Amino acid sequence: MNLASVDPHLADLSNKLIYSAMAVYTLAMFAHLFEWTFGSKGAIAVRSAEQSGGLAATLAAAGESKAARKVTVTVAAADGGTTTLTRTALADAGATVVTSGRGDGSGVDGPGAAGTSERGDLAGRIAVSLTVLGVLLHAGGVLTRGLSVMRWPWGNMYEFSCAFGLTMMLAYLGLLVAGKKVRWLGLPVVLAVLLTLGVAVSVLYTDSEQLVPALHSYWLGIHVSTAIICGGALYAAFVATVLYLGKDSYERRVEAGLPGGPLRIPVSVWERLPAASTLDKLSYRINALVFPLWTFTIIAGAIWAEAAWGKYWEWDPKETWSFITWVAYAAYLHARATAGWRGRKAAYLALLAFACWLFNYYGVNIFVTGKHSYAGV
Amino acid sequence: MSDTKTVTADGGEGDVERLSTAPEEVEAPVGIGVFGWARWTWRQLTSMRVALILLFLLSLAAIPGSLIPQNSQNAFKVQTWKAAHQGITPLYEKLQLFDVYSSVWFSAIYILLFVSLAGCIVPRTWQFVGVLRAQPPAAPRVLTRMPVYAAWRTDADPEAVNAAAHRLLRGRRFRANLAGGAVAAEKGYLREVGNLLFHFSLFALLAGFAWASLWSGQGGKLMIEGQGFANTTTQYDDFTGSAFYSVDDLDAFGFKLDGFTARYQTSGEQIGSARQFTAHIRYWTGTDAEKLTKGDIEVNHPLEIGSSKVFLIGHGYAPVVTVRNAKGEVVYKGPTPFLPQDSNLTSTGVIKVSDYGKKDGKDVDLGFNGYFLPTAPVNFEKTGPISLFPDAAEPMLVLTAFAGDLGTDSGLPQNVYQLDTSHMTQLKQDGDIARVRLKPGQGWELPDGYGTVTFDGYKQWASFNVSHRPGNAVALTGAVCAILGLIGSLFVQRRRIWVRATASPDGTTLVELAGLARSESARTAEELAEFAVDLQGDAPALDEPDPDTSTDGPEPAAVPAPATPADPDSKE
């Protein structure tokens, strides 16, 4: 066991990196705000132009290739109305290109935060670049924190918060790299990470030190890592759920012929967001993806508990709230498969489940004493 | 509990409109007697809506147990809580709020949930077996009614197109059936397999829990350095068995605590935080108590002997004290474990001298109440008797003495960590309570000629939990299967594709394709497009004057109110 070895220089560097990351994230947040501001005009025009343009371009490209096979698929819309949209697959030398209109929902995706504005787009690009820089600094901070004590850097709430903010940012950048159009997520995600890091450095901070004996286990690397990944992803799903509820209200207002957007947020903001059905699907996909991992986290924790305390389940407050969170997310997944619960009701369930998760993290660690008392606050 | 609720026996043609999984509004039966009511109750219980409500209730019911101290975790804390809230304690006790997780109401919720689950999952299994034994449901008559649709005209022979579609769909690992001039294909059965596996695994988990609670036993033992322990009930400080595990089932082994190592953070913000606890032991198994094996027990590393595990639970200090009577005879000698009160191991304890003998012709017992401070402050004026650091850097023993009747001869069991002073008087010196602070090696001459006390030093003690818990393997298997099942049921998409090639009066062949997603987030449109492109290798499309006229099928206006494209509970 490596005792008493703390490298103060690395620990200090880690703190500086985390603060620098916060500064850069703040700049990225301002850049995103500019993006949203500049892009507030002409949002509707781009929507149709972009889509028809994209389709035409692909069709034109197909025309040049003689070997192209073309199939148009009719996709019925959910609202049963007249909006049947088409997808065209073009085969050229074995490759299939699918140009997709929106076929799986009534709404149409907005063009994103920048709208048609070139300045907005530039601001958005600057924001993403700053975010990348912030993530590098952030990752450096987490890494040096771990290196300063030569262990996994998540032994207390401060370290856990830093790591979980990082996984959230990595998930977001991962989606961007994968070519998904998720830049509209930038502002809420950067706000979320600033909030998380802000709470971490101001309330939860504790010096870099070795661990109490209860945490001397390789399960720290397994159980806590997966908990961190779940946390970051659930946070992202939460953001998508909230935006879904807003966009859905907006779409209902439009349908009912009401002017203005919900929550007194200007129409142009809502217009630039993806369609409610897209947001709903995104939050469902993330939650469904995380659910098995969260199950694994609880089970890994139970195995560790068996080794450390002699029983794999003792209804310790942390265990209990993990279970409550699990049941809440299970209820959400079931609700989505039950008529009359789909849509907004299921979304409220997702919010409730995330609230359980938050309480399990902040509430149980700070206000409830149990065996998981490693918060360091 | 299932993620989709069965509405019809099998997804044949014609029930496309019935996509709802909502339990059909079961109206309360009128005048159909007991059987009817039972049937109605059963239907309600196994409906998804009630399962959802039960899930809600389960998480709601788990909350009080995390906020109110529980007997199962810390009986001592429960006592403290009860003492502080005497008014409300009787009500809480009636509601079983100190034993939430074994309470009637908590059990009722999860038992109902499991009954509901069984009522849903068993019929679903039979139904799924039926689905597997049958061919994929035949193509609907009107393919344009399907949520995803494509069509084109070709010169190829209808039968050849159908055969090619059958071959290609099989190549894409669909279960395909060519019959009646059309191909019906389905894929993604693993979704339902995963779904069923997950829900059955929950039963395995429950069985593991039940096994553990019926066949488990555990006991606690506090040992001072140098002491030994044999695994029999008489040697335990406390032992709890269960319905099928009694003292006769204890594994034969024993161990001796040779020493205990504790290390703490010595600087910085987290000064005093524990960094290492290791109990150094030698143990024996079976009948041969002479053959000893060396071992260490640490917090995350229990010692496994037979079907038992020995866990390190706590540690503390045991001051070694010698008490002599007025004649100088030793009436008490040895280490006495004191219990830690805070993270710096400020420890309290009592020393009971029941063999003091006679004083002034009367039988007398001596009792000492005391603090052991591993690192004592220079003076107590500001802090009181509080240790500054958990390691024994400046050990000090603080004692007050009592004389009288300890009550140990009454035959009633006594708490060894508490002094019953109801028949004792506190010794005084010069009118004040007699109190002394001793460093190792120092002695104290008791007032009123009761003799002397010397503080010889201290030893460490460690407390162990010996536990026998079967059923872990069952629970673990259940857990692993549950995760596998979840992955299958959430990530596999179940979908159907139909192909029908028919000869048209104009001599060409109309190829129609349709797809139906039976779970959320299935990409049926893309899949159908890719498949169609493949199929055009065998059935090349004829040039159409305007591609848009063919897109919507033969009669664009006839496209009816369509079904939701990605509907998780389209009939099953």
Side-chain angles (χ1 to χ4, degrees):
Chain A
M1 208 163 298
N2 191 2
L3 278 176
S5 56
V6 179
D7 186 330
H9 300 296
L10 278 176
D12 188 45
L13 178 64
S14 163
N15 292 347
K16 283 180 179 148
L17 284 170
I18 293 288
Y19 275 105
S20 313
M22 286 179 71
V24 175
Y25 283 144
T26 311
L27 292 178
M29 179 187 77
F30 281 120
H32 272 305
L33 284 174
F34 281 125
E35 183 191 12
W36 279 97
T37 316
F38 289 141
S40 62
K41 282 165 199 162
I44 311 161
V46 74
R47 188 197 303 160
S48 48
E50 202 176 65
Q51 278 173 3
S52 57
L55 193 64
T58 328
L59 287 172
E64 293 166 15
S65 158
K66 287 174 188 171
R69 295 172 191 161
K70 190 174 71 193
V71 174
T72 305
V73 178
T74 311
V75 181
D79 55 9
T82 51
T83 50
T84 48
L85 293 133
T86 59
R87 291 168 191 231
T88 310
L90 303 159
D92 194 3
T96 306
V97 184
V98 178
T99 56
S100 65
R102 286 221 43 88
D104 28 20
S106 55
V108 176
D109 285 343
T116 42
S117 161
E118 273 182 31
R119 283 198 299 170
D121 189 50
L122 180 67
R125 284 168 193 276
I126 291 173
V128 171
S129 313
L130 285 169
T131 307
V132 171
L133 179 63
V135 166
L136 288 177
L137 292 167
H138 191 168
V142 170
L143 187 72
T144 46
R145 177 88 178 185
L147 288 176
S148 75
V149 275
M150 294 308 286
R151 59 167 171 80
W152 295 101
W154 35 79
N156 50 52
M157 264 183 104
Y158 168 74
E159 294 173 1
F160 190 94
S161 293
C162 289
F164 129 72
L166 183 63
T167 54
M168 179 170 58
M169 296 313 290
L170 287 175
Y172 162 66
L173 288 184
L175 285 175
L176 277 181
V177 169
K180 308 274 183 206
K181 288 184 179 170
V182 289
R183 209 167 79 194
W184 55 271
L185 256 178
L187 186 60
V189 162
V190 168
L191 276 175
V193 79
L194 273 174
L195 197 69
T196 306
L197 288 181
V199 171
V201 297
S202 58
V203 183
L204 307 173
Y205 182 76
T206 175
D207 278 336
S208 186
E209 299 289 6
Q210 292 298 335
L211 295 174
V212 293
L215 295 179
H216 292 169
S217 169
Y218 56 87
W219 283 105
L220 182 68
I222 302 169
H223 168 63
V224 187
S225 315
T226 53
I228 287 168
I229 295 169
C230 289
L234 292 177
Y235 214 140
F238 162 74
V239 170
T241 309
V242 170
L243 291 178
Y244 157 73
L245 285 170
K247 179 81 179 196
D248 187 56
S249 302
Y250 168 70
E251 283 177 3
R252 279 161 194 242
R253 286 177 75 94
V254 169
E255 221 162 271
L258 292 170
L263 302 172
R264 296 191 182 177
I265 296 173
V267 170
S268 84
V269 170
W270 296 112
E271 272 176 348
R272 282 176 281 159
L273 284 175
S277 58
T278 309
L279 291 166
D280 186 41
K281 201 164 265 186
L282 179 70
S283 78
Y284 168 73
R285 282 192 180 158
I286 299 175
N287 282 327
L289 196 72
V290 170
F291 191 66
L293 193 67
W294 181 242
T295 313
F296 172 80
T297 304
I298 296 177
I299 289 165
I303 297 171
W304 188 4
E306 204 275 331
W309 305 324
K311 272 189 190 172
Y312 55 79
W313 196 267
E314 276 192 287
W315 297 103
D316 171 70
K318 183 67 97 187
E319 291 173 349
T320 306
W321 277 94
S322 300
F323 172 74
I324 292 170
T325 308
W326 187 85
V327 171
Y329 275 107
Y332 161 75
L333 291 177
H334 282 104
R336 285 190 68 100
T338 312
W341 277 88
R342 239 173 262 137
R344 294 186 74 89
K345 275 192 200 167
Y348 290 132
L349 271 182
L351 294 188
L352 189 73
F354 186 70
C356 291
W357 196 90
L358 275 188
F359 183 79
N360 191 19
Y361 181 44
Y362 291 105
V364 173
N365 281 14
I366 296 173
F367 303 117
V368 184
T369 51
K371 284 183 165 175
H372 279 77
S373 300
Y374 315 121
V377 284
Chain B
M1 286 293 295
S2 49
D3 73 342
T4 61
K5 184 72 188 173
T6 305
V7 176
T8 55
D10 190 17
E13 177 179 356
D15 53 1
V16 183
E17 292 80 10
R18 274 291 291 286
L19 292 164
S20 152
T21 57
E24 290 179 70
E25 273 315 313
V26 198
E27 282 171 28
V30 183
I32 51 170
V34 178
F35 181 73
W37 276 104
R39 200 177 141 82
W40 178 80
T41 312
W42 177 251
R43 281 228 185 143
Q44 285 290 314
L45 183 61
T46 56
S47 77
M48 178 70 108
R49 192 174 38 183
V50 171
L52 262 178
I53 292 169
L54 287 171
L55 273 174
F56 264 134
L57 283 177
L58 187 66
S59 52
L60 215 61
I63 293 175
S66 71
L67 305 175
I68 301 167
Q70 297 294 296
N71 274 323
S72 58
Q73 288 162 17
N74 194 336
F76 180 70
K77 236 171 131 181
V78 174
Q79 294 307 325
T80 322
W81 195 95
K82 282 181 179 171
H85 305 82
Q86 279 176 351
I88 206 161
T89 295
L91 179 68
Y92 273 37
E93 273 176 343
K94 243 183 203 147
L95 293 173
Q96 298 177 296
L97 285 175
F98 300 109
D99 299 282
V100 166
Y101 305 109
S102 53
S103 68
V104 174
W105 45 276
F106 191 78
S107 313
I109 294 172
Y110 76 76
I111 288 171
L112 275 177
L113 194 57
F114 271 95
V115 171
S116 164
L117 174 56
C120 176
I121 212 76
V122 171
R124 261 187 91 136
T125 310
W126 292 125
Q127 206 180 299
F128 184 59
V129 169
V131 167
L132 285 182
R133 293 174 66 173
Q135 290 295 343
R141 236 174 316 117
V142 190
L143 285 177
T144 46
R145 291 176 62 128
M146 289 291 113
V148 184
Y149 176 81
W152 68 88
R153 290 179 187 282
T154 179
D155 281 333
D157 178 53
E159 274 181 37
V161 174
N162 278 335
H166 186 245
R167 173 171 49 79
L168 285 170
L169 281 167
R170 288 221 160 166
R172 289 175 165 262
R173 301 171 63 93
F174 271 76
R175 243 180 117 220
N177 182 36
L178 172 58
V183 183
E186 185 163 11
K187 190 177 173 178
Y189 292 92
L190 273 179
R191 184 183 185 87
E192 185 68 358
V193 172
N195 187 16
L196 295 172
L197 177 66
F198 168 72
H199 289 100
F200 278 113
S201 306
L202 295 181
F203 282 98
L205 269 175
L206 192 68
F209 273 133
W211 188 357
S213 65
L214 291 176
W215 274 273
S216 69
Q218 62 172 354
K221 176 67 183 172
L222 185 148
M223 290 163 75
I224 297 168
E225 287 170 313
Q227 287 185 342
F229 165 78
N231 194 24
T232 56
T233 33
T234 48
Q235 297 225 356
Y236 276 112
D237 298 333
D238 56 85
F239 178 82
T240 39
S242 53
F244 302 103
Y245 190 81
S246 65
V247 292
D248 304 329
D249 302 315
L250 290 170
D251 284 320
F253 70 91
F255 62 94
K256 193 172 184 293
L257 179 65
D258 288 333
F260 189 85
T261 309
R263 281 201 261 182
Y264 306 91
Q265 174 98 25
T266 52
S267 61
E269 213 172 80
Q270 296 176 32
I271 184 166
S273 286
R275 294 296 172 237
Q276 186 199 350
F277 292 138
T278 310
H280 310 286
I281 58 143
R282 278 175 296 159
Y283 65 94
W284 52 268
T285 55
T287 49
D288 188 3
E290 297 304 310
K291 212 176 148 189
L292 291 165
T293 316
K294 265 195 168 211
D296 284 343
I297 303 180
E298 290 185 22
V299 177
N300 275 304
H301 305 280
L303 178 71
E304 287 186 48
I305 304 176
S307 64
S308 300
K309 285 186 180 176
V310 184
F311 295 90
L312 175 62
I313 297 297
H315 86 117
Y317 292 98
V320 183
V321 166
T322 308
V323 183
R324 290 185 176 82
N325 62 16
K327 287 180 255 173
E329 295 164 347
V330 174
V331 289
Y332 183 92
K333 183 174 176 60
T336 312
F338 277 35
L339 297 182
Q341 303 299 315
D342 61 22
S343 57
N344 281 331
L345 297 186
T346 303
S347 308
T348 59
V350 301
I351 299 165
K352 298 182 182 182
V353 185
S354 49
D355 295 330
Y356 183 81
K358 289 184 193 304
K359 183 170 191 294
D360 307 331
K362 282 199 294 186
D363 267 332
V364 166
D365 295 335
L366 279 187
F368 298 91
N369 241 335
Y371 287 96
F372 177 82
L373 313 174
T375 301
V378 177
N379 60 59
F380 294 168
E381 263 117 60
K382 283 178 194 153
T383 56
I386 276 184
S387 171
L388 302 178
F389 188 72
D391 214 354
E394 195 65 46
M396 181 174 279
L397 184 65
V398 182
L399 288 178
T400 58
F402 293 81
D405 183 10
L406 281 169
T408 43
D409 302 330
S410 64
L412 292 171
Q414 269 201 345
N415 187 333
V416 293
Y417 302 107
Q418 271 172 11
L419 207 55
D420 177 7
T421 56
S422 53
H423 299 99
M424 306 192 86
T425 48
Q426 194 157 17
L427 299 187
K428 295 193 173 175
Q429 198 146 32
D430 310 328
D432 278 339
I433 289 169
R435 183 196 289 270
V436 73
R437 288 184 242 165
L438 300 172
K439 288 181 179 176
Q442 291 183 335
W444 178 30
E445 182 144 4
L446 293 168
D448 306 332
Y450 274 98
T452 57
V453 178
T454 48
F455 175 32
D456 303 327
Y458 65 89
K459 286 189 169 181
Q460 296 194 87
W461 57 258
S463 59
F464 298 94
N465 180 22
V466 182
S467 108
H468 166 86
R469 284 182 68 82
N472 286 358
V474 174
L476 184 63
T477 312
V480 171
C481 288
I483 294 181
L484 291 177
L486 268 183
I487 290 172
S489 73
L490 288 171
F491 302 155
V492 174
Q493 309 301 341
R494 195 162 165 196
R495 66 273 189 193
R496 289 180 185 153
I497 287 183
W498 292 282
V499 181
R500 179 179 284 135
T502 43
S504 298
D506 63 359
T508 61
T509 299
L510 175 66
V511 185
E512 284 184 292
L513 273 63
L516 175 69
R518 304 192 55 209
S519 47
E520 275 194 88
S521 60
R523 301 164 66 84
T524 27
E526 281 83 351
E527 189 170 32
L528 195 73
E530 282 178 28
F531 167 67
V533 166
D534 278 1
L535 187 60
Q536 287 197 351
D538 292 276
L542 293 172
D543 280 337
E544 302 275 342
D546 177 5
D548 280 335
T549 53
S550 68
T551 15
D552 294 329
E555 289 166 285
V559 174
T564 315
D567 198 308
D569 16 304
S570 50
K571 67 266 155 68
E572 184 133 20

